[in-house]
Amino acid sequence: MEMHDRIRDLRKNYLHMSQAAFGSKLGVNRDVINNIENNRLAKPEQKLSLIKLMCREFSVNEEWLLHGSMPMFVTPDTFSLDQYLKEKGCTALEMEIVKAYFELDAATRQKVFDHFQGRLSAAKERLTAAADASQQQKEEAPPLELKPVAEMTHAEIDRFSEQLRQELHREKAAAVKSPASPGSGTNGNGPPIAAGSSGADSATG
């Protein structure tokens, strides 16, 4: 069986279409299909583009159409929801919930979606507000009264340690932004000079 015979066989015995209907799907008229099936197409290069279009439009295996190599039709890629959910680490219960959701009609699914979207948005707002309040409380916490460590509670020790840590960080940041000017507290070239020293060696008594 030649290629033009396979095209006729495809159209008549598998797709059950007339030449006009077959041509309409491919964007050509009946005469073009008739010429292809009788192997007398005037422009052979046009046949190649139509073959690719046939394969794409009707899920036909191009190797079968060109050379007769089976299978005749291409099996489309399938999507396995179970496999996808397993790859995402879903539990058996979560998989059942997802399947039950998709068994609902479209209108009910939309209501379920809106419900959970509203709940999630509200939960997010509550978490954000709680975080902001906690941060504000830390910033507004009054300084601790200094007292012997033995008299401090664990909570007071933790607060004191945190405030001390923050104060050290602020002092470090300020020191980085405003480094000491050259010569300040030094002789300009060496280490700091002790208070009351003239900077010169004192060899006399």
Side-chain angles (χ1 to χ4, degrees), residues 105-172:
D105 60 87
T108 304
R109 288 202 306 269
Q110 186 62 48
K111 290 179 181 178
V112 172
F113 176 82
D114 292 341
H115 171 75
F116 280 104
Q117 186 181 41
R119 293 289 296 273
L120 289 172
S121 297
K124 182 179 179 181
E125 290 176 1
R126 287 197 297 270
L127 288 173
T128 302
D132 292 343
S134 177
Q135 182 62 31
Q136 184 177 3
Q137 185 177 6
K138 288 181 180 179
E139 293 174 354
E140 295 177 353
L144 287 174
E145 179 184 355
L146 292 179
K147 55 184 177 181
V149 175
E151 298 178 9
M152 296 175 70
T153 65
H154 290 293
E156 289 174 334
I157 292 174
D158 291 340
R159 284 179 58 195
F160 181 77
S161 299
E162 178 61 22
Q163 288 184 0
L164 181 61
R165 186 184 67 82
Q166 293 179 5
E167 184 63 28
L168 290 173
H169 279 298
R170 284 194 291 268
E171 290 183 4
K172 180 179 179 181

Side-chain angles (χ1 to χ4, degrees), residues 27-140:
V28 296
N29 57 36
R30 174 189 175 281
D31 292 338
V32 173
I33 300 303
N34 186 54
N35 287 335
I36 290 176
E37 293 181 353
N38 288 284
N39 200 26
R40 58 170 187 252
L41 193 64
K43 299 178 180 179
E45 67 276 6
Q46 186 180 11
K47 186 188 297 184
L48 295 176
S49 61
L50 284 173
I51 287 170
K52 291 189 176 297
L53 187 55
M54 285 178 203
C55 293
R56 184 167 63 250
E57 184 69 27
F58 302 109
S59 299
V60 176
N61 181 8
E62 189 172 338
E63 283 298 309
W64 174 82
L65 203 57
L66 292 173
H67 310 295
S69 303
M70 298 298 285
M72 183 176 181
F73 292 98
V74 175
T75 303
D77 294 334
T78 57
F79 173 77
S80 171
L81 179 61
D82 285 358
Q83 184 63 32
Y84 175 79
L85 294 176
K86 287 178 182 178
E87 290 174 356
K88 295 299 180 181
C90 289
T91 64
L93 177 60
E94 288 173 325
M95 293 174 66
E96 289 301 319
I97 292 173
V98 171
K99 291 178 182 178
Y101 172 78
F102 284 109
E103 287 174 359
L104 300 172
D105 60 87
T108 304
R109 288 202 306 269
Q110 186 62 48
K111 290 179 181 178
V112 172
F113 176 82
D114 292 341
H115 171 75
F116 280 104
Q117 186 181 41
R119 293 289 296 273
L120 289 172
S121 297
K124 182 179 179 181
E125 290 176 1
R126 287 197 297 270
L127 288 173
T128 302
D132 292 343
S134 177
Q135 182 62 31
Q136 184 177 3
Q137 185 177 6
K138 288 181 180 179
E139 293 174 354
E140 295 177 353

